[in-house]
Amino acid sequence: MQALKPLFRVTAIPTETKEAGARPRRCPICGASGAEDWLRSPDRFHGRSELYQLLRCPSCSQVWLDNAPVPSEMSRHYGVHYDGAIANNGADPVHWNTRRGEVLRHKSAGAILDLGCSSGGFLATLRGPSWTLFGIEISAKVAGQASANCGAQVFVGDILAAPFPAGSFDVITCFHVFEHLYQPSEVLARVAQWLKPGGIFYTMMPNIDSAGARIFRNYWYALELPRHLYHFSPATLGSLAAHAGLREVSVTTHRELFAEASFRYIVDDALAGIGISTTPMARAKPARLPWKILRKALRLTVLPVLTGLASLAGDGESIHAVFVKPVQ
């Protein structure tokens, strides 16, 4: 593969951007018409009141955000508090053990590309002579951290602007990024193009058909409106991958209720209803010792019961999927 500079920046805005006020009633995935209003919810993470509308396709069941903010406006919906939460989640190497193990089940060496690599936490677990590391990251600052942390060559900009030649990678990963993309179909087609024959695409994302989504509805933490533009189920993700020419290896769901955060949203809303304001989760301070003790007790007593009940209500909240590019 032609070597890339460690960092270079593309500032073009994705061409798929919809004009503000547009209402795409046709499914952007399967093309069927007659999309149905499905659910409305605000940005609970930042504690904002503006409501966002999710639509659902009556044909393929894909769920997507109606009238999504254009890319130039999206930065206000992330911000330093969101970036900090993401960075904290990926700082512990143990966080990546399952994902690293899944990659090594399929490939022991080669070139790997992580879409939305953030500060390089996952790629760092594969650092060594067996792997050549690449990433794509929208933030130049964060991409610089990734390059410094793991030595990866990181493209800065939109995924579809990356100049990788066809057949470049043995593995492409995408962990809780796919749901943020404006053009998931086009990105998946590009993934198929970039993979070598026999190469794998390993991705994770929330499951909109999960028990947690059904139980908590518009309080479900993983809705993450308006940052999550598309909401996938195993079925819709599998159909999208098949359309891109990828063959399913495994698609499973894992239990991840997000119960604490979802209950926090319910409590905040209830308190607001009686005139008591609370600090949004985005700006919440670290928990004090008494709350840490109570939270630990709840995790040991109440959470196992909720998890058991959720198992009766539906599939897990996190999709773990592996697809392969067929060898012709």
Side-chain angles (χ1 to χ4, degrees), residues 21 162 166 243:
H243 184 73

Side-chain angles (χ1 to χ4, degrees), residues 7 83 117-120 137-147 149 154:
L7 293 175
D83 293 342
C117 66
S118 188
S119 56
E137 174 56 45
I138 197 69
S139 165
K141 178 180 179 181
V142 176
Q145 294 170 356
S147 184
N149 289 342
V154 181

Side-chain angles (χ1 to χ4, degrees), residues 31-246:
S33 59
E36 302 165 346
D37 289 344
W38 189 66
L39 183 150
R40 287 166 65 84
S41 183
D43 179 357
R44 299 189 187 279
F45 181 75
H46 287 293
R48 295 168 181 162
S49 59
E50 179 183 357
L51 290 175
Y52 298 95
Q53 177 70 55
L54 290 177
L55 303 178
R56 188 158 197 156
C57 175
S59 178
C60 74
S61 298
Q62 179 66 53
V63 175
W64 69 97
L65 177 60
D66 183 31
N67 195 24
V70 297
S72 60
E73 297 173 353
M74 191 58 88
S75 61
R76 68 176 288 266
H77 301 292
Y78 286 91
V80 294
H81 299 295
Y82 181 87
D83 293 342
I86 296 299
N88 289 337
N89 287 338
D92 185 357
V94 175
H95 177 78
W96 305 107
N97 282 351
T98 298
R99 304 174 202 192
R100 180 178 184 274
E102 184 66 25
V103 168
L104 295 178
R105 283 183 62 237
H106 300 278
K107 300 287 182 180
S108 59
I112 183 169
L113 170 67
D114 190 23
L115 306 182
C117 66
S118 188
S119 56
F122 170 68
L123 289 174
T125 68
L126 294 171
R127 187 171 190 173
S130 297
W131 292 94
T132 306
L133 309 179
F134 294 85
I136 296 178
E137 174 56 45
I138 197 69
S139 165
K141 178 180 179 181
V142 176
Q145 294 170 356
S147 184
N149 289 342
C150 64
Q153 298 184 53
V154 181
F155 173 82
V156 182
D158 183 73
I159 291 172
L160 293 176
F164 301 115
S168 293
F169 300 105
D170 298 277
V171 178
I172 297 178
T173 55
C174 185
F175 301 132
H176 291 287
V177 170
F178 205 63
E179 60 272 24
H180 295 261
L181 302 178
Y182 281 87
Q183 290 178 286
S185 298
E186 290 83 349
V187 168
L188 204 47
R190 191 65 57 85
V191 165
Q193 179 185 33
W194 285 338
L195 283 173
K196 300 176 183 178
I200 67 164
F201 175 55
Y202 174 29
T203 185
M204 294 170 56
M205 65 196 67
N207 176 17
I208 196 62
D209 278 350
S210 66
R214 294 189 181 108
I215 291 168
F216 292 110
R217 294 292 292 167
N218 67 356
Y219 292 100
W220 191 42
Y221 175 74
L223 285 180
E224 276 289 282
L225 298 175
R227 291 167 292 280
H228 289 183
L229 304 177
Y230 288 86
H231 299 263
F232 296 92
S233 68
T236 58
L237 177 61
S239 296
L240 197 64
H243 184 73
L246 299 175

